[in-house]
Amino acid sequence: MRTTELVDGFRHSAPYVNAHRGKTFVVMLGGEALTNSHSRGILNDVALLHSLGIKVVLVYGARPQIDDGLKMAGIAPAYHNGVRITDEDTLKVIKQVAGATQFDITARLSMSLGNTPMQNAQINLVSGNFVIAQPLGVDDGVDFCLSGKVRRIDTQGLKRQLDNNCIILMGPIAASVTGESFNLTAEEVATQVAIKLKADKIIGFSETNGLLDEHGNAIAELMPNQATAHLEAMEQNGSACTGTTAFIKASIDACKNGVPRCHLVSYLDDGALLQELFSREGIGTQIVTESAERLRRATIGDIGGVLNLIRPLEEQGILVRRSREQLEMEIEQFMLIERDNLVIGCAALYPFEEDNAGEFACLVVHPDYRDADRGSVLLNNIIGQARVRGYSRLFALTTRSIHWFLEHGFNIVEVDALPNKKKQLYNYQRRSKILALDL
């Protein structure tokens, strides 16, 4: 990696380090991820999150390990409506597998820190009876036996351990008030813990980097209803994976109950967890209660963000240079697209009331975000504002984006078509093209 790439990467990740510090993340590591060669890297990255001041609850699953254990014991797995039926013999195997998995994670998280950025870091792992279970009972005449669900969570106990700078490790076995042990799904444990803790995120792992579109590309963001529709389509065409399906359903439930964001990344992609959390574009799929991006009017506090966005284009001569003082006077004319508290797009509407017209100006979208037609989003908003104000025409001046404006319904006009005040300021040396849109 070149020095400039390292510096740029560090600078771009710094806002996320600050944003995540002190937040609570529930990381769900399924059995498929634990059997993969990249599990060591994932656990190192979990330790890194902890070192950055993030409160981490690590919930592990063990479906493939349990299936292997049952096979070795000569026990045929039984399911009803996709839920494992857990008799006493099955539970004995599950206890052995879950216990071994817990010890393996503890050992790997402790021993794998050598020769990593987390070398010599002291990490305290805590497990305990934070979850009280109850039986699933009988469904359609089928007794689930010792398969259970979450009845109660010791939220205060979890918070005390997190405040004591511990990573909490939780598995799929929990006891009931009567002293029986029950087999739960890791997805339900992770979801209920996240809801009760009012966690900021749930993070899960799958074979692919999130949910994929028809072209095989990761879908960056979905609202719960969109995720439900996508999941139904996957199940209809037979492309749904059991672990992924369970996590997405859990994420939808979590979002509907107050968890702001749920992330799904690949356990096959080394460093996917860090790239998802500490880069602008991420790498997987987020299921969110509200979009990470929002369109809003600029305020005086946005001066720095707008300047960072427009300065490179001013230096290239694409935009006319604006002083900070000028921008402070004009900032209320600007609309912004904000993503994770970063300004990634802007545009302004300058009024020419005496001519019943407005100028669409200073359209800039960050280079990393020019693949989703955000410029059109800003233009449509400005057009809407101009119509509300009763303007009959919107005009724009450009030296580079003529075709973009033509594609959006503008027509090339002469200097005489400009409002009088703008006509007097027209720079004949720049020879900007003038385009107008009748409203």
Side-chain angles (χ1 to χ4, degrees), residues 382-431:
I382 296 295
I383 289 173
Q385 290 187 49
R387 284 177 172 154
V388 168
R389 296 182 188 185
Y391 296 163
S392 61
R393 174 175 280 199
L394 189 68
F395 67 89
L397 279 69
T398 183
T399 57
R400 302 287 184 92
S401 304
I402 301 166
H403 282 216
W404 185 86
F405 281 101
L406 293 175
E407 289 169 1
H408 285 80
F410 284 74
N411 294 304
I412 297 175
V413 296
E414 299 299 325
V415 176
D416 288 341
L418 288 172
N420 289 328
K421 285 185 179 179
K422 189 67 180 181
K423 194 187 307 181
Q424 295 170 14
L425 298 173
Y426 181 78
N427 188 335
Y428 285 90
Q429 290 183 328
R430 280 180 63 84
R431 300 179 63 185

Side-chain angles (χ1 to χ4, degrees), residues 326-338:
Q326 180 185 355
L327 191 57
E328 287 177 358
M329 294 173 61
E330 300 175 347
I331 193 64
E332 291 184 358
Q333 316 292 351
F334 278 75
M335 293 299 297
L336 306 180
I337 296 180
E338 182 184 62

Side-chain angles (χ1 to χ4, degrees), residues 26 28 59-61 63 83 131-136 147-153 170-172 174 182-196 202 246-247 249-251 253-254:
V26 176
M28 210 221 86
V59 180
Y60 68 88
R63 279 194 191 90
V83 178
V131 176
I132 299 299
Q134 64 183 22
L136 284 176
S147 291
K149 60 182 179 180
V150 174
R151 177 179 180 180
R152 188 170 66 246
I153 291 173
M170 306 178 74
F182 287 92
N183 174 34
L184 285 65
T185 67
E187 289 82 7
E188 190 203 4
V189 173
T191 301
Q192 293 304 314
V193 166
I195 292 171
K196 295 299 183 183
I202 298 178
F247 180 79
K249 288 180 178 178
S251 296
D253 185 33

Side-chain angles (χ1 to χ4, degrees), residues 137-164:
V138 179
D139 180 49
D140 293 333
V142 177
D143 189 350
F144 283 106
C145 301
L146 296 171
S147 291
K149 60 182 179 180
V150 174
R151 177 179 180 180
R152 188 170 66 246
I153 291 173
D154 181 7
T155 308
Q156 293 305 314
L158 290 171
K159 288 181 177 179
R160 279 195 298 271
Q161 296 303 328
L162 292 173
D163 290 341
N164 286 334

Side-chain angles (χ1 to χ4, degrees), residues 118-264:
M118 294 305 302
Q119 188 167 350
N120 299 323
Q122 181 63 46
I123 294 180
N124 295 317
L125 281 177
V126 174
S127 298
N129 58 338
F130 300 110
V131 176
I132 299 299
Q134 64 183 22
L136 284 176
V138 179
D139 180 49
D140 293 333
V142 177
D143 189 350
F144 283 106
C145 301
L146 296 171
S147 291
K149 60 182 179 180
V150 174
R151 177 179 180 180
R152 188 170 66 246
I153 291 173
D154 181 7
T155 308
Q156 293 305 314
L158 290 171
K159 288 181 177 179
R160 279 195 298 271
Q161 296 303 328
L162 292 173
D163 290 341
N164 286 334
N165 203 32
C166 296
I167 293 178
I168 298 173
L169 181 61
M170 306 178 74
I173 301 292
S176 70
V177 292
T178 58
E180 295 176 284
S181 295
F182 287 92
N183 174 34
L184 285 65
T185 67
E187 289 82 7
E188 190 203 4
V189 173
T191 301
Q192 293 304 314
V193 166
I195 292 171
K196 295 299 183 183
L197 282 177
K198 295 181 171 57
D200 300 277
K201 295 180 186 293
I202 298 178
I203 303 157
F205 295 84
S206 66
E207 190 171 357
T208 60
N209 255 323
L211 297 177
L212 307 181
D213 61 19
E214 63 272 17
H215 304 295
N217 300 315
I219 301 171
E221 184 178 283
L222 290 169
M223 305 294 275
N225 60 332
Q226 295 173 318
T228 299
H230 190 86
L231 200 57
E232 290 173 352
M234 289 172 60
E235 291 173 339
Q236 287 175 4
N237 62 30
S239 62
C241 166
T242 302
T244 300
T245 299
F247 180 79
I248 295 302
K249 288 180 178 178
S251 296
I252 294 167
D253 185 33
C255 281
K256 289 180 177 179
N257 285 277
V259 179
R261 298 187 186 184
C262 302
H263 302 254
L264 183 63

Side-chain angles (χ1 to χ4, degrees), residues 318-329:
I318 297 173
L319 290 179
V320 176
R321 189 171 184 86
R322 289 170 172 79
S323 67
R324 188 181 186 92
E325 292 74 17
Q326 180 185 355
L327 191 57
E328 287 177 358
M329 294 173 61

